[in-house]
Every structure is written in structure tokens, then in C-alpha cells.
Amino acid sequence: MSAIYDRVALIGLGLIASSMAHAMRRAGLAAEITGFARSAETRAAAREVGFCDRVCDTAAEAVSGADLIVLCVPVGAMGVVAAEIAPALKSGATVSDVGSVKRAVIEAVAPHLPDNVHFVPAHPLAGTEHSGPRSGFAELFDNRWCLIVPVEGADRGAVDRVARLWQGMGALTDEMEADHHDLVLAVTSHAPHLIAYTMVGVADDLRRVTDSEVIKYSAAGFRDFTRIAASDPTMWRDVFLTNREATLEILGRFTEELFALQRAIRTGDGDMLFDYFTRTRAIRRGIIEAGQDTDAPDFGRVKKG
Ligand code: NAP
């Protein structure tokens, strides 16, 4: 594939930025990739791994002359970073981001951008519980969705070009309106993370009572929660603070369902439980049929020994 952008600048050099750089290189999508992270430690690690052509010591230097600038920092930091890079942006450049929440990012970033720059927000629905510049890999976005969230009056050419970049990195792309994105993600990602954090928190409290047996004998259900609950604390704090309304709406519905199931258990309503679990099992089948997860037992984990 030929290059889609001449120079791409990545601001923030963690899991998503490093995976983007690896994936862009795999397909030759950018002639040059520059990068910047706020800490000297992350910049040094990024230089060592070598996924950027140049890791710069200032954000201004990284974005200067860039055709595409992708903000890969936590959602709560997007506005400050946008303000910092704005004076150094090239006329005609496109600014994008990978934030997990879209309305708040648009409101925080758009006011800082000059009129001669395009803004094309995006969100790759791919990640792991690892973070930092050493955690990225080229295959992260393969066959995963990346939602492009065009702002009002967006330039079609700039939007399509960002979509083509994500397709080149292996992703499937779709367009979505910002508020709708935030509601959908509250159901599919944000509320599930909060529930996982809660369940692991409860187990942690119980550990004291059960003499660490919840850790020693951790069964599949709990282990899967712990993987999700190991996700980056800064990223997830920002997600809940910035997607507050949608997350609270979904958690309200979740609480009602939980009460209904609690009641079925208390009253011995086996039919209700059976029907409920039959319905939810079909959702898993749908996800597998859509190619978004493996059908292998235990999520395809390889047994040791
Ligand atoms: P990460 O691995 O933790 O990397 C975050 C980067 O942002 C680091 O380079 C960090 O710099 C920088 N940073 C943190 N706080 C900052 C601040 N206040 N000001 C400026 N820079 C700051 O995170 P990530 O997983 O790549 O996530 C980046 C973005 O992608 C987030 O907006 C997240 O919502 C979104 N996202 C994440 C996932 C996922 O599963 N991880 C999936 C889709 C989208 P230092 O290292 O120098 O501190």
C-alpha cells in the first residue's frame, strides 16, 4: 500500500500510539512518523523500541510540518494538549484523536484549533489491559472497528483519508455521531469496565475474610474480571468523568436488571433465570459470528505445561 500521509505526528506514546506506529509501518502508510510524550522516560522508551522515525522533545517540534496529528493521550488531557500544539500546526493539516469518549473530546479540542486545520475525531475499538510505549503491536487493530466521528461541517476528503488510514492499519471503519457513540460505548465498554472494577473490589475486600482463597482458586469468571479491572487507572478515571450521563444511564438500567435477577434467585424462579441466560447466550454467539471474538474455550488461552 502506498503512503496515505507524508508525515504523521503521534502525541502521547502509549499502547494506542505505539500500535498505530507499528501498524502504519507494516503497511507503509506514512513516509515519516514523529512522536512526543510528556515524560523523558516514555520518550526514551519510545526511542529504544524505535517505532517512530523521530521522537521529539517538544510537542511543537513533533507536529511541525505534519499532515496528520493524532492525539493519543487520556481523554481528560486532550484539551490542554490541543492548546499546546495549535500554534505549531501546518495549514491544511488534519488533527485526529483516539479518545474513548467523543463528545467531551470534541468540546475540549475544537475551540483550540485554527480554522485552516481539519478535525476528524476517531475511536479504535481495540485495546489491552497493558499501557505504555512497550505494549504496542502491529496487529492490535486487525479486524477491529474504528469509529470515525465527523464534526459538523467536516471536510469529506479529510474524513475519508483518516478512514483510509485506519483501514490500512487493519481496521474496519464506520461513522457515528458523537452522542450516539458515547451511549453505545457506555453499554459495550464503559459500564462493563465499571462492573469489573466493582467485582474485583468486592473480592479484594473478601480476601481478608477468606484468607486469599479468592486469589488462589480464582475461577474463569473472576479471572476475566481481573483482566479488565487491570486497565489503566488514569484512562478509565477520565472515561467515567467525561462520559458521565451515558454511563449513569446504563448503570441505572443495570441495577434494575440486577434487582430482577436477585429477586428470581430469592424466590427460586428458575424459569426466569433460565430464560434470561438463554437470551444472553445468544449475544455471545452473535459476537463470534461477527468475527469479533474467538469461539475457542476459555477465550483461546493456551494451557501451560
Ligand atoms: P497509555 O498507554 O497509558 O499512554 C498514554 C500516553 O498519554 C502516554 O504517553 C502519557 O505520557 C500520555 N499522557 C498521560 N497523561 C497525560 C497528560 N495529562 N498530558 C499529556 N500527556 C499525557 O494510554 P493508551 O491506552 O494508549 O490510551 C490513549 C488514548 O486512547 C486514551 O484517550 C484512551 O481513552 C484511548 N483508547 C484506549 C484504549 C485502550 O484499551 N487502552 C482503546 C481505545 C482508545 P507519559 O507516558 O509521558 O506519562
Side-chain angles (χ1 to χ4, degrees), residues 254-273:
F254 174 82
T255 312
E256 282 174 24
E257 297 284 299
L258 192 63
F259 277 138
L261 287 171
Q262 235 173 314
R263 191 181 149 76
I265 294 170
R266 196 187 313 282
T267 58
D269 189 349
D271 288 346
M272 189 278 188
L273 294 173

PDB file of all heavy atoms in Angstrom, residues 254-273:
ATOM      1  N   PHE A 254     -28.737  -1.294  34.526  1.00  0.00           N
ATOM      2  CA  PHE A 254     -28.045  -2.486  35.039  1.00  0.00           C
ATOM      3  C   PHE A 254     -28.546  -2.816  36.451  1.00  0.00           C
ATOM      4  O   PHE A 254     -28.826  -3.977  36.772  1.00  0.00           O
ATOM      5  CB  PHE A 254     -26.528  -2.219  35.056  1.00  0.00           C
ATOM      6  CG  PHE A 254     -25.745  -3.323  35.699  1.00  0.00           C
ATOM      7  CD1 PHE A 254     -25.399  -4.459  34.984  1.00  0.00           C
ATOM      8  CD2 PHE A 254     -25.356  -3.245  37.035  1.00  0.00           C
ATOM      9  CE1 PHE A 254     -24.689  -5.492  35.582  1.00  0.00           C
ATOM     10  CE2 PHE A 254     -24.651  -4.263  37.638  1.00  0.00           C
ATOM     11  CZ  PHE A 254     -24.308  -5.394  36.910  1.00  0.00           C
ATOM     12  N   THR A 255     -28.668  -1.791  37.274  1.00  0.00           N
ATOM     13  CA  THR A 255     -29.102  -2.007  38.660  1.00  0.00           C
ATOM     14  C   THR A 255     -30.513  -2.597  38.695  1.00  0.00           C
ATOM     15  O   THR A 255     -30.792  -3.516  39.481  1.00  0.00           O
ATOM     16  CB  THR A 255     -29.070  -0.660  39.427  1.00  0.00           C
ATOM     17  OG1 THR A 255     -27.816  -0.041  39.163  1.00  0.00           O
ATOM     18  CG2 THR A 255     -29.214  -0.864  40.912  1.00  0.00           C
ATOM     19  N   GLU A 256     -31.387  -2.123  37.823  1.00  0.00           N
ATOM     20  CA  GLU A 256     -32.758  -2.669  37.767  1.00  0.00           C
ATOM     21  C   GLU A 256     -32.749  -4.148  37.393  1.00  0.00           C
ATOM     22  O   GLU A 256     -33.452  -4.959  37.987  1.00  0.00           O
ATOM     23  CB  GLU A 256     -33.587  -1.899  36.735  1.00  0.00           C
ATOM     24  CG  GLU A 256     -34.065  -0.551  37.227  1.00  0.00           C
ATOM     25  CD  GLU A 256     -34.756   0.234  36.119  1.00  0.00           C
ATOM     26  OE1 GLU A 256     -35.268  -0.388  35.163  1.00  0.00           O
ATOM     27  OE2 GLU A 256     -34.767   1.478  36.211  1.00  0.00           O
ATOM     28  N   GLU A 257     -31.926  -4.493  36.399  1.00  0.00           N
ATOM     29  CA  GLU A 257     -31.837  -5.901  35.973  1.00  0.00           C
ATOM     30  C   GLU A 257     -31.268  -6.764  37.097  1.00  0.00           C
ATOM     31  O   GLU A 257     -31.703  -7.887  37.317  1.00  0.00           O
ATOM     32  CB  GLU A 257     -30.934  -6.031  34.739  1.00  0.00           C
ATOM     33  CG  GLU A 257     -31.441  -5.325  33.523  1.00  0.00           C
ATOM     34  CD  GLU A 257     -32.585  -6.047  32.819  1.00  0.00           C
ATOM     35  OE1 GLU A 257     -32.392  -7.183  32.371  1.00  0.00           O
ATOM     36  OE2 GLU A 257     -33.670  -5.457  32.729  1.00  0.00           O
ATOM     37  N   LEU A 258     -30.272  -6.196  37.775  1.00  0.00           N
ATOM     38  CA  LEU A 258     -29.638  -6.946  38.868  1.00  0.00           C
ATOM     39  C   LEU A 258     -30.662  -7.247  39.962  1.00  0.00           C
ATOM     40  O   LEU A 258     -30.710  -8.358  40.506  1.00  0.00           O
ATOM     41  CB  LEU A 258     -28.468  -6.138  39.432  1.00  0.00           C
ATOM     42  CG  LEU A 258     -27.523  -6.850  40.382  1.00  0.00           C
ATOM     43  CD1 LEU A 258     -26.811  -8.003  39.666  1.00  0.00           C
ATOM     44  CD2 LEU A 258     -26.472  -5.872  40.911  1.00  0.00           C
ATOM     45  N   PHE A 259     -31.500  -6.258  40.264  1.00  0.00           N
ATOM     46  CA  PHE A 259     -32.554  -6.470  41.272  1.00  0.00           C
ATOM     47  C   PHE A 259     -33.523  -7.561  40.817  1.00  0.00           C
ATOM     48  O   PHE A 259     -33.953  -8.390  41.620  1.00  0.00           O
ATOM     49  CB  PHE A 259     -33.321  -5.167  41.541  1.00  0.00           C
ATOM     50  CG  PHE A 259     -32.617  -4.268  42.537  1.00  0.00           C
ATOM     51  CD1 PHE A 259     -32.549  -2.890  42.328  1.00  0.00           C
ATOM     52  CD2 PHE A 259     -32.031  -4.795  43.682  1.00  0.00           C
ATOM     53  CE1 PHE A 259     -31.908  -2.057  43.234  1.00  0.00           C
ATOM     54  CE2 PHE A 259     -31.375  -3.962  44.603  1.00  0.00           C
ATOM     55  CZ  PHE A 259     -31.311  -2.598  44.375  1.00  0.00           C
ATOM     56  N   ALA A 260     -33.849  -7.564  39.518  1.00  0.00           N
ATOM     57  CA  ALA A 260     -34.785  -8.572  38.992  1.00  0.00           C
ATOM     58  C   ALA A 260     -34.180  -9.973  39.130  1.00  0.00           C
ATOM     59  O   ALA A 260     -34.868 -10.925  39.533  1.00  0.00           O
ATOM     60  CB  ALA A 260     -35.117  -8.266  37.533  1.00  0.00           C
ATOM     61  N   LEU A 261     -32.885 -10.085  38.836  1.00  0.00           N
ATOM     62  CA  LEU A 261     -32.226 -11.391  38.956  1.00  0.00           C
ATOM     63  C   LEU A 261     -32.094 -11.807  40.427  1.00  0.00           C
ATOM     64  O   LEU A 261     -32.290 -12.972  40.783  1.00  0.00           O
ATOM     65  CB  LEU A 261     -30.840 -11.342  38.299  1.00  0.00           C
ATOM     66  CG  LEU A 261     -30.851 -11.296  36.774  1.00  0.00           C
ATOM     67  CD1 LEU A 261     -29.449 -11.025  36.229  1.00  0.00           C
ATOM     68  CD2 LEU A 261     -31.375 -12.602  36.177  1.00  0.00           C
ATOM     69  N   GLN A 262     -31.801 -10.823  41.260  1.00  0.00           N
ATOM     70  CA  GLN A 262     -31.696 -11.065  42.716  1.00  0.00           C
ATOM     71  C   GLN A 262     -33.018 -11.633  43.236  1.00  0.00           C
ATOM     72  O   GLN A 262     -33.051 -12.596  43.994  1.00  0.00           O
ATOM     73  CB  GLN A 262     -31.445  -9.721  43.397  1.00  0.00           C
ATOM     74  CG  GLN A 262     -30.238  -9.672  44.274  1.00  0.00           C
ATOM     75  CD  GLN A 262     -29.994  -8.243  44.755  1.00  0.00           C
ATOM     76  OE1 GLN A 262     -30.038  -7.302  43.972  1.00  0.00           O
ATOM     77  NE2 GLN A 262     -29.762  -8.076  46.019  1.00  0.00           N
ATOM     78  N   ARG A 263     -34.110 -11.026  42.776  1.00  0.00           N
ATOM     79  CA  ARG A 263     -35.442 -11.439  43.192  1.00  0.00           C
ATOM     80  C   ARG A 263     -35.747 -12.866  42.710  1.00  0.00           C
ATOM     81  O   ARG A 263     -36.292 -13.687  43.444  1.00  0.00           O
ATOM     82  CB  ARG A 263     -36.476 -10.462  42.606  1.00  0.00           C
ATOM     83  CG  ARG A 263     -37.843 -10.619  43.149  1.00  0.00           C
ATOM     84  CD  ARG A 263     -38.783  -9.621  42.474  1.00  0.00           C
ATOM     85  NE  ARG A 263     -40.109 -10.196  42.402  1.00  0.00           N
ATOM     86  CZ  ARG A 263     -40.931 -10.278  43.436  1.00  0.00           C
ATOM     87  NH1 ARG A 263     -40.570  -9.791  44.608  1.00  0.00           N
ATOM     88  NH2 ARG A 263     -42.108 -10.836  43.310  1.00  0.00           N
ATOM     89  N   ALA A 264     -35.337 -13.165  41.456  1.00  0.00           N
ATOM     90  CA  ALA A 264     -35.566 -14.506  40.905  1.00  0.00           C
ATOM     91  C   ALA A 264     -34.814 -15.556  41.726  1.00  0.00           C
ATOM     92  O   ALA A 264     -35.330 -16.648  41.992  1.00  0.00           O
ATOM     93  CB  ALA A 264     -35.126 -14.547  39.444  1.00  0.00           C
ATOM     94  N   ILE A 265     -33.610 -15.210  42.146  1.00  0.00           N
ATOM     95  CA  ILE A 265     -32.825 -16.155  42.968  1.00  0.00           C
ATOM     96  C   ILE A 265     -33.523 -16.344  44.327  1.00  0.00           C
ATOM     97  O   ILE A 265     -33.727 -17.460  44.792  1.00  0.00           O
ATOM     98  CB  ILE A 265     -31.377 -15.641  43.148  1.00  0.00           C
ATOM     99  CG1 ILE A 265     -30.633 -15.637  41.807  1.00  0.00           C
ATOM    100  CG2 ILE A 265     -30.621 -16.500  44.168  1.00  0.00           C
ATOM    101  CD1 ILE A 265     -29.294 -14.928  41.813  1.00  0.00           C
ATOM    102  N   ARG A 266     -33.925 -15.203  44.919  1.00  0.00           N
ATOM    103  CA  ARG A 266     -34.555 -15.262  46.243  1.00  0.00           C
ATOM    104  C   ARG A 266     -35.855 -16.078  46.223  1.00  0.00           C
ATOM    105  O   ARG A 266     -36.107 -16.881  47.118  1.00  0.00           O
ATOM    106  CB  ARG A 266     -34.852 -13.844  46.750  1.00  0.00           C
ATOM    107  CG  ARG A 266     -35.135 -13.788  48.239  1.00  0.00           C
ATOM    108  CD  ARG A 266     -35.596 -12.409  48.690  1.00  0.00           C
ATOM    109  NE  ARG A 266     -34.784 -11.312  48.176  1.00  0.00           N
ATOM    110  CZ  ARG A 266     -33.589 -10.973  48.659  1.00  0.00           C
ATOM    111  NH1 ARG A 266     -33.070 -11.652  49.645  1.00  0.00           N
ATOM    112  NH2 ARG A 266     -32.923  -9.980  48.131  1.00  0.00           N
ATOM    113  N   THR A 267     -36.640 -15.886  45.147  1.00  0.00           N
ATOM    114  CA  THR A 267     -37.945 -16.561  45.094  1.00  0.00           C
ATOM    115  C   THR A 267     -37.857 -17.924  44.398  1.00  0.00           C
ATOM    116  O   THR A 267     -38.865 -18.591  44.207  1.00  0.00           O
ATOM    117  CB  THR A 267     -38.986 -15.680  44.347  1.00  0.00           C
ATOM    118  OG1 THR A 267     -38.478 -15.429  43.020  1.00  0.00           O
ATOM    119  CG2 THR A 267     -39.239 -14.367  45.053  1.00  0.00           C
ATOM    120  N   GLY A 268     -36.667 -18.310  43.990  1.00  0.00           N
ATOM    121  CA  GLY A 268     -36.498 -19.623  43.354  1.00  0.00           C
ATOM    122  C   GLY A 268     -37.138 -19.695  41.977  1.00  0.00           C
ATOM    123  O   GLY A 268     -37.593 -20.749  41.546  1.00  0.00           O
ATOM    124  N   ASP A 269     -37.146 -18.554  41.247  1.00  0.00           N
ATOM    125  CA  ASP A 269     -37.764 -18.512  39.926  1.00  0.00           C
ATOM    126  C   ASP A 269     -36.775 -19.017  38.858  1.00  0.00           C
ATOM    127  O   ASP A 269     -36.170 -18.237  38.112  1.00  0.00           O
ATOM    128  CB  ASP A 269     -38.209 -17.068  39.626  1.00  0.00           C
ATOM    129  CG  ASP A 269     -39.050 -16.979  38.358  1.00  0.00           C
ATOM    130  OD1 ASP A 269     -39.106 -17.980  37.613  1.00  0.00           O
ATOM    131  OD2 ASP A 269     -39.630 -15.906  38.112  1.00  0.00           O
ATOM    132  N   GLY A 270     -36.628 -20.333  38.787  1.00  0.00           N
ATOM    133  CA  GLY A 270     -35.669 -20.949  37.857  1.00  0.00           C
ATOM    134  C   GLY A 270     -35.983 -20.651  36.405  1.00  0.00           C
ATOM    135  O   GLY A 270     -35.070 -20.489  35.595  1.00  0.00           O
ATOM    136  N   ASP A 271     -37.278 -20.561  36.058  1.00  0.00           N
ATOM    137  CA  ASP A 271     -37.647 -20.286  34.663  1.00  0.00           C
ATOM    138  C   ASP A 271     -37.103 -18.932  34.228  1.00  0.00           C
ATOM    139  O   ASP A 271     -36.578 -18.777  33.125  1.00  0.00           O
ATOM    140  CB  ASP A 271     -39.181 -20.286  34.493  1.00  0.00           C
ATOM    141  CG  ASP A 271     -39.732 -21.705  34.600  1.00  0.00           C
ATOM    142  OD1 ASP A 271     -38.916 -22.654  34.535  1.00  0.00           O
ATOM    143  OD2 ASP A 271     -40.958 -21.847  34.776  1.00  0.00           O
ATOM    144  N   MET A 272     -37.249 -17.956  35.123  1.00  0.00           N
ATOM    145  CA  MET A 272     -36.783 -16.599  34.794  1.00  0.00           C
ATOM    146  C   MET A 272     -35.274 -16.622  34.554  1.00  0.00           C
ATOM    147  O   MET A 272     -34.780 -16.073  33.563  1.00  0.00           O
ATOM    148  CB  MET A 272     -37.125 -15.647  35.957  1.00  0.00           C
ATOM    149  CG  MET A 272     -36.898 -14.174  35.668  1.00  0.00           C
ATOM    150  SD  MET A 272     -35.192 -13.646  35.881  1.00  0.00           S
ATOM    151  CE  MET A 272     -35.323 -11.887  35.724  1.00  0.00           C
ATOM    152  N   LEU A 273     -34.543 -17.283  35.452  1.00  0.00           N
ATOM    153  CA  LEU A 273     -33.078 -17.335  35.315  1.00  0.00           C
ATOM    154  C   LEU A 273     -32.688 -18.061  34.023  1.00  0.00           C
ATOM    155  O   LEU A 273     -31.839 -17.584  33.262  1.00  0.00           O
ATOM    156  CB  LEU A 273     -32.457 -18.052  36.529  1.00  0.00           C
ATOM    157  CG  LEU A 273     -32.606 -17.334  37.868  1.00  0.00           C
ATOM    158  CD1 LEU A 273     -32.104 -18.215  39.002  1.00  0.00           C
ATOM    159  CD2 LEU A 273     -31.867 -15.993  37.883  1.00  0.00           C
TER     160      LEU A 273
END
